[in-house]
């Protein structure tokens, strides 16, 4: 007969004499004491009332712009409010737009290297550029056809720059005259951008007008021997002024505010040119001078008594050479990717150029544009040796999103970005930024 073992009794192992091997009954777990705040209860109306503060929806321009915290969000607003042709003219670039994508990617392919235990209670963004102080280390770049993007155009840009204490650059292809911009922003620091035409007398006339209007800097652009292949403009049938076709009328039905402003303000014309009708590329190819050489730069240096900067520098050799020919500053720029696709990226070129000019004991200012979409981008450029930056598309996105207030918002966003980035880097003023604060990552 087999004994039936009580299941509660466990057979002792061979070395049962050791206390360590005695199986003990499980010990009861201590009771969990739940904090009063975690005990379930029926909510009281008095508890819910502070949470139920529903805000009245706001659809004003000010509310719309306030909700934008980045330049990309301003771009989204601009795209919704602007017809396709002028938006694409701003947003697009040449051919496959490889250069523009690479320029923006260049700013993303960095690593900031912050310092700690620094006093950053006050951040000073002031800097000197071309002999005068700017409250922020960036200015507004020259842009053509600006009132086509939004009817306030150059007036909004120049007045916003004046209020912010930064330079504003009027383009030869602008839709407001040199004199009107000076009158709109009489206390602003206005620069004039020049395309040298085949007609030198007309170029000289513009230079003289810029000087009389108080512009202290002449910016000559040298990367437009011919027009780039801006395929978005070709596909959109982009003309000056915009043509009213079935396609544009349908596009306008979704953006009535733009068309209302366009049709109820002064007709769009080039303020520095005679009235022109045709495609943008045809205008550039008929007006700009493909024979431009360093001798013309020497002529400009003799003619213009203020500061002279050359925009469109894309090699170290050209940077050195234009300085040798009298330039007070250079602008590393590939025209926002709108001319030669697969062109050098200014941000990549920056360390080599600044090193070369330093080796030459040059005092020329180095300015950078192309690809800037945040204040952190500007901080990175300054750390790698730029003295200043220019914003083009970022400013136009704000303009299209909300006119003058939109440009103000662009500047506010960039300033806030820069202040925060510098504080987190442990840097309290622009002059303390240096290459140790940025590392270029390898892709």
């Amino acid at each position: 007969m087999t004994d039936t073992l009580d299941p509660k009794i466990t057979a002792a192992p061979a070395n049962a004499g050791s206390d360590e091997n005695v199986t003990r009954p499980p010990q009861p777990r201590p009771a969990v004491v739940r904090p009063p705040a975690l005990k379930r209860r029926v909510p009281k109306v008095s508890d819910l009332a502070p949470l139920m503060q529903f805000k009245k929806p706001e659809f004003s321009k000010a509310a719309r712009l306030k909700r934008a915290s980045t330049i990309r969000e301003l771009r989204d607003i601009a795209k919704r409010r602007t017809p396709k042709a002028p938006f694409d003219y701003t947003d697009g670039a040449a051919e496959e737009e490889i250069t523009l994508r690479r320029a923006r990617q260049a700013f993303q392919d960095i690593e900031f290297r912050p310092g700690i235990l620094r006093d950053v209670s006050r951040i000073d963004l002031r800097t000197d550029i071309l002999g005068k102080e700017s409250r922020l280390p960036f200015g507004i770049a020259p842009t053509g056809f600006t009132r086509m993007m939004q009817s306030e155009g150059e007036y909004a840009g120049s007045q916003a720059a004046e209020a912010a204490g930064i330079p504003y650059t009027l383009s030869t292809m602008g839709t407001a005259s040199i004199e009107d911009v000076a009158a709109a922003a009489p206390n602003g620091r206005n620069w004039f951008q020049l395309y040298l035409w085949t007609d030198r007398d007309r170029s000289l006339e513009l230079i003289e007008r810029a000087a009389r209007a108080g512009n202290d800097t002449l910016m000559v652009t040298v990367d437009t021997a011919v027009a780039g292949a801006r395929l978005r403009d070709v596909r959109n049938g982009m003309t000056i002024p915009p043509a009213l076709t079935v396609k544009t009328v349908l596009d306008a039905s979704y953006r009535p505010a733009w068309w209302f402003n366009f049709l109820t303000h002064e007709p769009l014309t080039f303020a520095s040119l005679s009235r022109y009708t045709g495609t943008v590329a045809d205008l550039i190819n008929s007006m700009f001078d493909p024979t431009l050489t360093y001798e013309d730069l020497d002529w400009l240096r003799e003619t213009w008594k203020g500061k002279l900067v050359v925009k469109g520098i894309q090699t170290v050799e050209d940077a050195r050479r234009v300085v040798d020919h009298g330039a007070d500053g250079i602008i590393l720029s590939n025209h926002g990717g709108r001319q030669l696709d697969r062109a050098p990226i200014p941000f990549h070129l920056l360390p080599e150029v600044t090193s070369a000019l330093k080796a030459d004991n040059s005092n020329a200012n180095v300015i950078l544009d192309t690809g800037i979409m945040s204040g952190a981008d500007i901080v990175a450029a300054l750390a790698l040796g730029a003295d200043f930056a220019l914003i083009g598309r970022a400013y136009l996105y704000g303009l299209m999103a909300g006119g003058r207030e939109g440009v103000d918002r662009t500047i506010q966003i960039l300033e806030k970005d820069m202040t925060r980035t510098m504080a987190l880097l442990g840097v309290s003023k622009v002059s303390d930024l240096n290459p140790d604060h940025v590392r270029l990552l390898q892709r």
Side-chain angles (χ1 to χ4, degrees):
M1 181 176 178
T2 305
D3 293 334
T4 301
L5 297 176
D6 188 332
K8 296 180 180 180
I9 300 174
T10 304
N15 57 348
S18 171
D19 289 342
E20 294 179 358
N21 296 296
V22 174
T23 302
R24 296 180 174 82
Q27 299 297 312
R29 297 178 61 185
V32 177
V33 179
R34 296 178 66 83
L38 298 182
K39 292 181 179 179
R40 300 282 184 184
R41 63 185 180 84
V42 177
K44 299 177 182 178
V45 175
S46 59
D47 294 334
L48 295 175
L51 304 177
M52 301 177 68
Q53 296 181 6
F54 300 110
K55 293 184 178 180
K56 182 180 178 180
E58 294 185 78
F59 302 102
S60 67
K61 181 196 297 185
R64 180 175 67 243
L65 293 173
K66 187 177 180 180
R67 286 193 290 269
S69 299
T70 66
I71 301 302
R72 285 177 173 81
E73 289 175 354
L74 284 178
R75 177 188 177 277
D76 292 340
I77 298 172
K79 188 174 184 178
R80 292 195 298 268
R81 299 184 63 82
T82 310
K84 183 174 177 59
F87 178 82
D88 277 357
Y89 176 78
T90 298
D91 196 59
E95 300 180 41
E96 298 179 60
E97 304 187 357
I98 294 170
T99 299
L100 178 58
R101 289 195 299 273
R102 286 178 177 173
R104 288 180 173 164
Q105 187 65 47
F107 285 107
Q108 296 176 32
D109 291 341
I110 66 165
E111 177 183 86
F112 281 123
R113 310 187 74 182
I116 61 170
L117 299 177
R118 274 78 162 178
D119 181 359
V120 290
S121 56
R122 296 184 63 183
I123 304 297
D124 185 359
L125 296 177
R126 292 175 299 173
T127 193
D128 288 332
I129 184 67
L130 295 168
K132 293 185 179 180
E133 183 179 274
S134 175
R135 193 181 69 82
L136 301 171
F138 66 89
I140 292 180
T143 60
F145 323 129
T146 312
R147 287 184 56 238
M148 181 178 62
M149 319 314 173
Q150 203 271 355
S151 59
E152 296 176 59
E154 290 88 354
Y155 303 109
S158 60
Q159 291 175 340
E162 178 186 48
I166 63 176
Y168 172 81
T169 315
L170 176 66
S171 171
T172 298
M173 310 293 286
T175 45
S177 72
I178 298 170
E179 294 78 10
D180 285 349
V181 168
N187 298 313
R189 186 179 183 189
N190 294 320
W191 297 351
F192 183 68
Q193 176 270 335
L194 177 72
Y195 288 113
L196 269 175
W197 301 346
T198 52
D199 185 341
R200 287 292 188 270
D201 289 337
R202 296 192 68 189
S203 296
L204 180 59
E205 178 188 347
L206 281 180
I207 294 169
E208 292 173 343
R209 286 172 58 191
R212 287 195 300 269
N215 290 258
D216 64 67
T217 296
L218 183 68
M219 180 187 299
V220 58
T221 297
V222 295
D223 59 1
T224 50
V226 297
R230 302 171 192 177
L231 300 184
R232 290 204 215 183
D233 296 346
V234 174
R235 298 184 190 107
N236 291 330
M238 175 71 175
T239 62
I240 304 298
L244 285 172
T245 63
V246 172
K247 183 178 179 180
T248 56
V249 169
L250 289 174
D251 193 33
S253 65
Y254 298 98
R255 300 164 178 91
W258 185 94
W259 279 104
F260 177 77
N261 286 330
F262 178 76
L263 296 173
T264 58
H265 286 93
E266 181 180 325
L268 182 68
T269 58
F270 295 111
S272 299
L273 311 173
S274 58
R275 186 175 294 273
Y276 176 86
T277 300
T279 68
V280 176
D282 288 344
L283 172 61
I284 293 174
N285 287 330
S286 66
M287 188 186 76
F288 297 164
D289 187 357
T291 69
L292 189 65
T293 68
Y294 279 93
E295 291 182 359
D296 297 289
L297 186 59
D298 292 335
W299 173 76
L300 276 177
R301 179 67 283 178
E302 293 176 4
T303 304
W304 177 258
K305 304 309 178 185
K307 297 293 185 179
L308 177 66
V309 296
V310 179
K311 181 176 181 289
I313 300 300
Q314 299 173 70
T315 68
V316 175
E317 294 75 16
D318 283 342
R320 281 176 147 159
R321 195 169 179 190
V322 297
V323 171
D324 289 342
H325 281 258
D328 298 297
I330 62 168
I331 302 176
L332 298 180
S333 171
N334 56 36
H335 217 102
R338 298 163 64 79
Q339 285 295 102
L340 175 66
D341 208 10
R342 300 179 179 84
I345 304 306
F347 186 65
H348 289 161
L349 191 60
L350 179 60
E352 193 175 357
V353 168
T354 55
S355 177
L357 293 182
K358 185 177 180 180
D360 294 344
N361 295 315
S362 170
N363 293 321
N365 285 143
V366 177
I367 303 172
L368 180 138
D369 74 8
T370 304
I372 293 171
M373 289 290 284
S374 73
D377 295 343
I378 298 173
V379 170
L382 297 172
L384 285 186
D387 296 301
F388 205 67
L390 293 175
I391 57 167
R393 286 184 180 89
Y395 137 66
L396 293 177
Y397 292 144
L399 177 68
M400 291 186 286
R404 161 66 194 279
E405 294 92 333
V407 183
D408 289 336
R409 186 61 180 151
T410 293
I411 296 171
Q412 290 165 5
I413 288 171
L414 294 176
E415 181 177 3
K416 187 175 181 180
D417 285 351
M418 294 187 66
T419 300
R420 179 182 60 251
T421 302
M422 287 179 58
L424 293 173
L425 281 174
V427 177
S428 61
K429 55 185 179 181
V430 169
S431 59
D432 287 342
L433 288 167
N434 62 69
D436 290 339
H437 291 114
V438 177
R439 185 165 72 92
L440 301 177
L441 302 179
Q442 301 299 318
R443 286 178 62 80

